[in-house]
Amino acid sequence: MPSREDVAYFGAGPAPLPTEVLQRGAEAFVNFENTGLSLAEISHRSQTANKVLADTKSALTSLLQIPDEYEILFMHGGGSGEFSAVVLNMVAVWVEKRRRRAAAELDGDERQVVERVKREIRDELRLDYLVTGSWSLKASQEAANLLEPLGKGFVNVAVDSRQSDSGRFDTIPSEDSWKLTPSRSKGGEGSAFVYYCDNETVDGVEFPRLPSCLNHSSRDGTDELLVVADMSSNFLSRRVDVSKFAVIFGGAQKNIGITDVTLAIVRKDLLSCQPSSSFLHAVGVWSPPIILNWPVIAKNNSLYNTMPIFSIWIAGEVMRGLLETHGDRGLAGQEQLADEKAGIIYDVLDRHPDVYQVVPNKSVRSRMNICFRIRGGDSTREKTFLEYAEGQLLQGLKGHRSVGGIRVSNYNAVPLKNVQRLAAYLEDFARRTMQ
């Protein structure tokens, strides 16, 4: 029977966790800090639970240097739940801004305010999506589905990477080709938000940095650009200037912890810019359901309903481990390590182009999810590759079911030594394939 040290796991999620965190978790699951209770049993209203929340928030704030004007929320529903939460909460923010402006200009005449905002929703509400992979595509489709009762055309796909020459999600077109909704300063009315997925796990595409056209923090009212980023699969793998974003969210099961926790970092002024449910309904917009309602979750310290305190504690342990490992360097240290590990794999793949073909363009290769084909997608050879790898206890390498191929997920908890083991196997397989 193999030990944990014998197995090198590269699954895309749920992903590996640091062994020492799992060992401490095993103790906490049975008897947390000698209380005689499992951390999975304690009340989410207890002082212990509140301390777990506070400690985890503190660790995350230290890692990302989160400014005071942001709130950290622990949510249910995973990244897919946030596809819906983003639309419902951010459209509500857009509606409230329009309501306030109309109320000021129409002397508070409620009937006229409602009619004007309804007209502006029909004519001016736009949600910008950068579709660069499978998950941003799903997010844009969910947005269109949620807004369909209002009509068509509210979702503006500013870029769709499949429209490149290959017809696949293997690149990110240059920013000058994007068709973002024009802001007021450019003759338009601006969008409610601009949404993108920082790292696409299925397709192996990652934004090298925050796009230049989104890289500003101007907050001049109606002309403001509100950027929403799904960072589920590269969260805490590199430095991020949180102040550039309105919202950052991510599921925990890749770089943060175990499943059933989602983190959302939301600017506080957006939480207070929400109309009443009755006004939203009067203008034909759904109000966010309680479980996805950011202001309600924030007001209740993420404890509106029963949260999985054990899972949040695990996430906190992972974060504290990063702080301890990298010290004052923080995420700069983890970023360097992630780059080093990814570089080892890509170097081997690039040395054997007749055997391995990396899927995405070199300029947007993901550090977290390394996707490639063998001999142009030879299914027999790819099956052999996976079988031989399993025999050497190199596991979790099968590509996503929608695209096939091979995928190496290089998350934070994947040790450097395991990456080196995989690199040696890649070299050996390439030699035997070429014989």
Side-chain angles (χ1 to χ4, degrees), residues 390-430:
E390 285 281 343
Q392 297 189 30
L393 299 180
L394 301 169
Q395 299 180 358
L397 293 169
K398 188 176 182 178
H400 191 272
R401 63 186 181 277
S402 64
V403 295
I406 312 298
R407 175 172 56 177
V408 180
S409 292
N410 174 40
Y411 296 129
N412 285 355
V414 173
L416 178 60
K417 65 179 182 179
N418 286 1
V419 170
Q420 292 166 336
R421 276 179 59 188
L422 177 59
Y425 171 68
L426 287 166
E427 288 279 11
D428 181 63
F429 186 86

Side-chain angles (χ1 to χ4, degrees), residues 9-12 15-16 64 172 196-210 230-241 254-255 322 326 329-347 349 358-372 397 407-416 419 422:
Y9 183 60
F10 300 94
L64 284 175
I172 298 176
Y196 77 102
C197 180
D198 206 30
N199 182 74
E200 293 279 2
T201 59
V202 172
D203 310 283
V205 171
E206 183 176 28
F207 280 84
R209 64 194 65 84
L210 176 65
D230 174 0
M231 295 189 180
S232 291
S233 54
N234 63 355
F235 200 70
L236 301 184
S237 71
R238 64 182 177 186
R239 292 161 290 180
V240 173
D241 184 351
K254 301 182 188 299
N255 271 335
L322 289 173
H326 299 296
R329 297 195 65 204
L331 288 184
Q334 186 58 41
E335 183 174 356
Q336 181 180 2
L337 179 57
D339 291 348
E340 178 185 359
K341 292 190 299 174
I344 290 171
I345 300 300
Y346 282 123
D347 284 348
L349 299 177
V358 178
V359 174
N361 184 280
K362 195 168 186 177
S363 64
V364 295
R365 288 178 174 180
S366 170
R367 301 161 306 124
M368 296 289 103
N369 306 102
I370 300 168
C371 297
F372 62 94
L397 293 169
R407 175 172 56 177
V408 180
S409 292
N410 174 40
Y411 296 129
N412 285 355
V414 173
L416 178 60
V419 170
L422 177 59

